[in-house]
Amino acid sequence: MTISLKVNGKSQQVDTDPSTPLLYVLRNDLGLHGPKFGCGLGQCGACMVHVDGKAAFSCVLPIAAVGDREVTTLEGLLENGKPNKLQQAFIDEEAAQCGYCISGMVMRAQVLLKEKPHPTDEEIRHHMRTNLCRCGTHAAIMRAIKRAAVA
Ligand code: FES
Ligand code: FES
C-alpha cells in the first residue's frame, strides 16, 4: 500500500504494509539512519524521533498511525547542514562512547529544552528516564544538555 508522510520537511511516499513500524520506514525506505533499532519494544529510546514536536518511540509506531503529522529525525535538527546547538554540545562534551543511544538522547533532550530552556538537574534526569545508555555515559549526556541549556 502506498503511504504518504512528511519527514524532515519533505513529503515522501513509501510502498509498505500499514503495520510497518515508522523506524523501519525511516531507516530502510528513506535512508535516515539517525534513529536506531535497540529493543523494538519502546523500552530503550534508541529509535526516538519527533512526531509533531513530541518525542515518540518510532519502533512501536505503525506507519499508518502517523497520518499527516510531521516526523523529525536527528538529521532534521541540522541547521544549514551543521549540528544545532544541542547536537554540538553532545560533540563538545564527547557524550558518545559507542554512540548507539545518542540520536535518541538528542531527540529526547531537544523536546525538553524547547519546553524548558533552563531545566534543573532533576528535571533533566526525570525527562531522560525513558532513554538508556548501555555504555554508561549518562554524566556526559547530562553535561551536554546543560551546556546547550546555558549556551
Ligand atoms: S528501539 Fe525503540 S525504544 Fe528501543
Ligand atoms: S554511548 Fe553506547 S549506548 Fe550510549
Side-chain angles (χ1 to χ4, degrees), residues 63-97:
I63 188 69
V66 176
D68 56 7
R69 292 180 291 166
E70 169 83 35
V71 177
T72 307
T73 68
L74 185 74
E75 293 87 345
L77 296 189
L78 294 174
E79 291 173 355
N80 300 319
K82 297 209 172 109
N84 77 2
K85 188 168 72 170
L86 178 60
Q87 291 170 315
Q88 189 60 51
F90 270 73
I91 294 166
D92 293 342
E93 292 293 344
E94 300 182 352
Q97 191 164 319

Side-chain angles (χ1 to χ4, degrees), residues 23 36-48 57-60:
L23 175 64
K36 303 285 188 287
F37 182 93
C39 64
L41 297 168
Q43 291 178 356
C44 75
C47 65
M48 199 157 270
F57 296 112
S58 63
C59 69
V60 290

